[in-house]
Amino acid sequence: MPQEKQSVTCGSCGKAFKLTGYGPHHKSCIKWACREREDNMQIMEQMVCVDVDANNIDDILVEHHSSTARPSEKIPFVEFAQGHQPRAYKPDLSTDPCKEQINCFLKLIKSAHCGCDLFTLNEYADLCSTWHAASHCMTAFEKELVHVDGVDGKPCEFPVYCHSLLDWAFDLLKHPTMGPQFVFDVKHLFKFDSSTFVCFIDEPWTADKFWTLQSRLPPDGKLLPFILYADKVKLSSFGPQKGYPVVTRLANLPTWIQNGKGIGGGCVVGWLLIVKEDKEYSGKPQFANFKNAVWHESFKKILGTIEKESEMGCWVKCWDGLACHFFPVVLILSADYEEQVVMALVRGVKSNFPCPMCLVPCDDISKFPAQCELHTSAKVIKVLQEARSQETTEKREQILMQQGLCDVDFGDHLWPELLRILDKGGHQVAARVKKNFSMMPRWHSLNHFDDALSISYTDGQKFEDLSKLVVFACHDVLSPVEKEGYLLFRCLCAYIEFDLYTALELHMVHTLTAGWEALATFNVLMQRFSEKTENVKKNWNFPKNHMCMHVFDNIEAKGVTWNFSTKPNEKMHGPLKEKYQRCTNFKNVTEQILQVNHLELVSELIHCTITNYNIPDDDDADKVKQEDFFHVRLGSRVKHPLTLEAVKQRSITNKVFIQFQTKLNEFLNRYFTAVGKTLPGGKHIQFQPNDQIMEFKYIKVNFESVVDWCQYMDHLQCNPNFHGCSHYDCILLKTQQQDIFGQLIFMFQCVVSEESFPLALVQPYDAPTQPQLVKDVHLNLWRVHEQPPESAEFFSVHSIICGALLYPDHTRIGDYLVIDTLDTDMFLCMQKMHKAAGHH
């Protein structure tokens, strides 16, 4: 192994420093770079000059664009949060019943039907006829031809299926339910933090790009921004059949709608041709250019449906009967790197400038340089014009190769490397990690891995869940002594932290700054690791690694990553595969799939129309809202009540139930005194052994996320036999002194003077811990220690803040590690705890 270098190059400023002097410089350089990136937001904050004394903490300030002629307004946080809640929207249509099930269902309805109205649907064919009769209500696909000169110079003709982007958008604008959900007026949002209003970003209309585009429109103009996604999908599990759908969404709709299913969610608006490989030309630049030309000509057909209107605008009569002047624009192109290469005309991984967004040289893409010249259409056109003016093909190719362009008319890498390191450690190391994964506590929204190391995963969700757990499964295997493996482990941990910052559902100035710092830390560690592993056949100089440096700029320009992530679009691959398997004869499948897709939209339109017809009145709607709003709700009630004597018997085998009755009496007496309630009969509460309580094994907990202030729900178990295994979830508790972690042991409800008290017996994890280990600092671990079982305490279930996932540290008996990678809310909570404890 080569000796460690005695100097380090700063990834931000490019200067070289000794190892001893690099740390202080690195911190100051990061602060300087982040301060420079915050300038725009700080300027906006300074513009919002309001009387601090007149504001309450968490008040929201809304700065409207000048085109709206609306003054800035201040909104109480409670009012803002109520209108900011995400909602579950539509069911997954990929689980539609088959023909036989539909026929049985229709027969059942007909047999139960009574009244004067006729029920005319007798079988599946009648239902299909209804869909076809209503098919004109939604925009259908059309087949068009594109003409491209082949590699041999002969003209070629290819089919492309698409329907008008504008017609699809107009259908939504005129829809009585979807229309009111549109947001056309761009705005900047600020939250009061007791001293100043701090800017935050979530939806696209709160970001810079939307504001800039709105400023270019006439006073009456409204932006109609499209999000387009294109990627190949393998339709057959074993055969070669593939599809190439183009999916669109509208950035005017809230994220919970546009990333949902059904009307308002993603819609297939095009189907591109996949050019078959030709053995004679495959691998040659001319054939690559030919495939790119086919792609661009096909994609141009889809964009052509908004080309004229994007310049001149168009008037549309919306759901409310008012005509608006819209200007369509493609705000976001969402794609994997392979598709981005085609879109941006770059030559790919091995070209001189492989990044689709900037002109970073190929040799520097792993160094995350602070500033790089951006790709723009004007610069690309200029290079193409210069290349086309050359007399020979050789000179033309030379110019294009220098710029890494083609002439056409208009987290996966770290996991295999970790497996390599674990394999070097031998069978015992791999077996230990495998066991740690299998012993990981289960969580309702997390995949469980019994054999994590020996299975090759293709599901992106499983890789994401692996990344949440891998640090905790490997922390007791890779120690600082093993330099190569431990350094890779630190790289992986730093990347996961950076990735969590990119995944935040809402960004403020300080979270963007922290994200840039996390990226800089990851960059430094990766440079050190690549230097230590120069003899390994692994090149970290690849474009997907470099794309990390653009993510926070994109967030400031377009909103949080959920607006331009490929994940919501990739989820549409499953339903397309199912349509191929169940609704085609496996010949000329494109038209069949698109026909089924169109009828599915028609079915959804019918469903929405019926739903609108059955909308409850205001009083019923208020009752529904009140039913949905609660903090905690117990469930899975045991059939028969328990006597306190029966609970006492449990203490024979489980120490947590020792003195259960005495502790319960003491807790309730303290509670009545603390809240000023009169004790029943003026005497202390004294339960008797034959008094009864009702046990519960499940609880739903609603909590407000510290990320985006929306309400989310945790489903927690306290069950000795949940699917054949004991399942006792951990929780974060609010106490008078501080928030603590603990484990649910027993949940029940007791009655005092006809008043019910829902309580939980909890084993607190707030015992003193030993001094922090070096790896705890390096891996940003939060360690807690359990109290003895006999120290279990009673808490009101209303003291539960949210659920938590804790992993036992087998190297320190009684210690537990908080899995802060569980979700973005827990991640930010733990970051605040680290900061309060002085760990950062």
Side-chain angles (χ1 to χ4, degrees), residues 267-280:
C267 179
V268 178
V269 292
W271 197 277
L272 307 180
L273 178 84
I274 300 177
V275 179
K276 295 181 180 180
E277 292 294 325
D278 189 322
K279 292 182 179 180
E280 182 179 355

Side-chain angles (χ1 to χ4, degrees), residues 446-496:
L446 197 67
N447 281 297
H448 189 80
F449 301 95
D450 288 321
D451 198 6
L453 303 186
S454 58
I455 297 177
S456 178
Y457 297 101
T458 58
D459 184 355
Q461 185 61 50
K462 286 188 170 59
F463 268 118
E464 185 175 335
D465 290 349
L466 271 174
S467 70
K468 294 178 179 181
L469 304 175
V470 64
V471 171
F472 304 92
C474 299
H475 81 97
D476 57 349
V477 174
L478 299 173
S479 65
V481 177
E482 304 160 17
K483 293 184 178 180
E484 181 186 358
Y486 186 71
L487 186 54
L488 173 68
F489 197 40
R490 289 186 63 187
C491 292
L492 184 59
C493 185
Y495 177 79
I496 293 169

Side-chain angles (χ1 to χ4, degrees), residues 471-542:
V471 171
F472 304 92
C474 299
H475 81 97
D476 57 349
V477 174
L478 299 173
S479 65
V481 177
E482 304 160 17
K483 293 184 178 180
E484 181 186 358
Y486 186 71
L487 186 54
L488 173 68
F489 197 40
R490 289 186 63 187
C491 292
L492 184 59
C493 185
Y495 177 79
I496 293 169
E497 182 173 329
F498 155 75
D499 190 54
L500 281 164
Y501 275 114
T502 68
L504 294 183
E505 295 85 357
L506 182 148
H507 265 286
M508 305 189 76
V509 174
H510 68 271
T511 56
L512 287 170
T513 302
W516 280 110
E517 292 177 356
L519 178 60
T521 301
F522 170 62
N523 181 33
V524 170
L525 290 170
M526 281 303 305
Q527 296 302 318
R528 288 173 56 187
F529 179 73
S530 61
E531 290 171 2
K532 283 183 175 292
T533 55
E534 290 177 350
N535 58 330
V536 179
K537 295 180 179 179
K538 175 65 179 178
N539 182 14
W540 296 99
N541 217 36
F542 53 89

